[in-house]
Amino acid sequence: MPTRLLLVADTHIPGRARHLPAALLRAADAADLIVHAGDWVSEAVLDELLGHGEVIGVYGNNDGEDLRARLPEVARRVVEGVRLAVVHETGPAPRREQRMDAAFPDTDLLVFGHSHIPWDSTTPAGLRLLNPGSPTDRRRQPHRTHMIVDLADGAVTAVELVAIDPE
């Protein structure tokens, strides 16, 4: 059985939404691990997600001292043999793959946020880069989003970008 991850970032509550979407909370309940790539804004979002499962997360540029006291800038964990790292910002899209290869040489999967733009690419060195977008603030994207990722036997076996319908 694979390990199922829920990837989320840039919730920006209460600035962009009053609460997490029900579809995201259902996905959290179905996940083995919730991964949040920063810009929670409210510490209550972290506490709410912890009520739905195990969370690995980082703080983002919009997070205050309360979240920075509880979360690292970069989080790392080995899950199903996959070396996972989480960070909020990776800089501009041009040359992202090359920069991340240099910054995260001992990583198989890097989850990031900040742009609110879903991203799925693989670097020249084989590092998988995933940005789930935002479940609350689509900006210029067609939908609010999160990702579901399956890991098994040392590999990413499935990635699904999930569009969240307005509630």
Side-chain angles (χ1 to χ4, degrees):
M1 294 266 316
T3 296
R4 177 150 289 182
L5 309 182
L6 166 63
L7 307 188
V8 62
D10 298 292
T11 44
H12 289 274
I13 292 175
R16 301 291 188 230
R18 289 191 184 114
H19 53 82
L20 293 171
L24 180 75
L25 296 176
R26 287 191 298 274
D29 289 336
D32 298 305
L33 179 63
I34 302 162
V35 180
H36 194 301
D39 275 3
W40 315 68
V41 179
S42 170
E43 192 175 13
V45 176
L46 171 57
D47 293 332
E48 181 175 12
L49 285 177
L50 284 167
H52 290 268
E54 184 181 0
V55 175
I56 180 172
V58 298
Y59 66 80
N61 60 300
N62 285 293
D63 295 325
E65 290 305 315
D66 55 347
L67 285 159
R68 290 169 188 253
R70 293 178 67 182
L71 299 166
E73 182 177 11
V74 177
R76 296 176 187 274
R77 174 149 341 147
V78 176
V79 181
E80 290 288 337
V82 175
R83 298 169 298 174
L84 167 69
V86 186
V87 67
H88 183 62
E89 291 188 58
T90 60
R95 300 193 38 78
R96 176 176 285 141
E97 284 81 5
Q98 292 78 10
R99 286 192 319 276
M100 295 307 100
D101 272 343
F104 294 92
D106 297 323
T107 303
D108 302 310
L109 171 59
L110 177 64
V111 179
F112 66 100
H114 188 62
S115 67
H116 299 218
I117 300 171
W119 185 279
D120 182 353
S121 68
T122 303
T123 71
L127 171 61
R128 187 75 175 264
L129 302 176
L130 296 176
N131 182 330
S134 171
T136 57
D137 183 15
R138 64 182 180 89
R139 288 194 182 165
R140 296 170 300 281
Q141 300 305 301
H143 304 282
R144 299 173 300 140
T145 57
H146 65 267
M147 283 182 172
I148 303 296
V149 176
D150 289 341
L151 306 178
D153 301 321
V156 175
T157 58
V159 175
E160 178 186 4
L161 180 66
V162 179
I164 300 173
D165 293 326
E167 296 177 338

